[in-house]
Amino acid sequence: SAAMGNQSSGERAPLLGACSGGAAPRAPGAPIVFSVVRTAAWGLGDDEDVWQVEVPAAATVADVKRQVEALYEVPAEAQSLSVEPAGPGAAAPAPLEDTAKVEPLCGKRLFLNPAGPVGGALDEQALEGMAQMMFGAVAEAAEVDAALVQSLEGVTYNVTFERPRDAGGAAAGKSARLALDPLAYIADVQQMVEVELFGATDKEPVFLVVQGQLAPHHMTLFHAGVEDGSTVVVAKERPPPTEQDMLL
């Protein structure tokens, strides 16, 4: 699913059941597709996103909120839906009740405003919901990582380190095969590799490259993507940074 604010507005093909003009006529009882406008009141800039949200004909406002959360990761408790936008500094528009049926609103845009003061912080319940969602995802990732790390205890990776021939220098074209702990840090491994290939550390420039990407010193072999039987390039020059490198 797309994160809030990442789904940009734009032209779309007509949707069956859409209530907006230009779409095919909606058959009675057919699902409804609303254009939900994420307003500038969220404080994410002046641009507004328009999201297409499909719900059953018998859906309520609460159902629309749940669908928005499922598709765009905006917690339902943080949402306030209205048929009017929330302008900066203006009074908050009257919110639609969660129990209200949405079929009578067919043909109208729904405006997604923060469930709190316009231009201000979300209310405590909304913030708590967002925090729980984020911390839950982080905790789950940490549990998975801990399980993987535990499974690597006592495991040895046999890894080949190759210095390209065109790198020149004392180790041009040479390789070294080392038996390593998969949880060894790249910084420590690099020192071992330099001793194997050059006889000492800091003799020549060295950058360990895994599948075309620089292996950061703070990562372990495992987290850098090295596996048993892998070949790591001992480059002379730092590879161009990737988008992922910029985020680290």
Side-chain angles (χ1 to χ4, degrees):
S1 59
M4 183 175 71
N6 288 344
Q7 179 73 25
S8 60
S9 58
E11 294 185 1
R12 296 173 179 266
L15 296 168
L16 181 63
C19 296
S20 56
R26 174 177 167 267
I32 307 171
V33 178
F34 283 103
S35 292
V36 177
V37 181
R38 194 273 302 160
T39 70
W42 289 90
L44 300 176
D46 295 331
D47 293 336
E48 296 183 338
D49 293 333
V50 181
W51 299 336
Q52 302 299 324
V53 179
E54 179 178 303
V55 292
T60 63
V61 170
D63 294 323
V64 175
K65 290 182 178 180
R66 283 191 286 269
Q67 188 71 343
V68 168
E69 178 174 1
L71 293 172
Y72 303 104
E73 298 181 1
V74 183
E77 60 268 24
Q79 303 175 37
S80 175
L81 290 174
S82 66
V83 292
E84 298 175 1
L96 296 168
E97 295 292 335
D98 281 355
T99 56
K101 297 289 187 180
V102 294
E103 189 165 29
L105 302 176
C106 193
K108 296 181 180 292
R109 278 187 161 194
L110 299 182
F111 291 88
L112 177 62
N113 304 305
V118 177
L122 298 178
D123 61 27
E124 186 176 346
Q125 183 181 7
L127 287 173
E128 183 179 353
M130 286 184 173
Q132 288 178 349
M133 177 178 291
M134 289 187 291
F135 288 140
V138 170
E140 182 178 356
E143 289 178 3
V144 171
D145 189 66
L148 287 170
V149 168
Q150 186 175 7
S151 71
L152 292 172
E153 291 182 0
V155 174
T156 298
Y157 280 1
N158 291 295
V159 184
T160 300
F161 297 86
E162 291 186 349
R163 184 72 158 179
R165 189 173 300 278
D166 59 9
K174 292 184 179 180
S175 65
R177 187 173 178 84
L178 301 178
L180 300 166
D181 182 341
L183 298 179
Y185 286 99
I186 294 296
D188 298 329
V189 171
Q190 180 169 319
Q191 291 186 347
M192 298 170 63
V193 171
E194 290 185 32
V195 170
E196 286 289 327
L197 292 179
F198 307 106
T201 60
D202 300 324
K203 287 286 188 178
E204 296 184 23
V206 168
F207 299 93
L208 300 186
V209 179
V210 180
Q211 297 178 4
Q213 296 187 15
L214 178 67
H217 281 186
H218 67 273
M219 281 191 177
T220 68
L221 286 172
F222 169 74
H223 290 98
V226 177
E227 300 176 346
D228 185 31
S230 291
T231 296
V232 176
V233 176
V234 184
K236 182 180 181 180
E237 297 180 354
R238 184 188 185 100
T242 64
E243 184 176 345
Q244 184 178 3
D245 292 332
M246 296 178 183
L247 296 175
L248 295 175

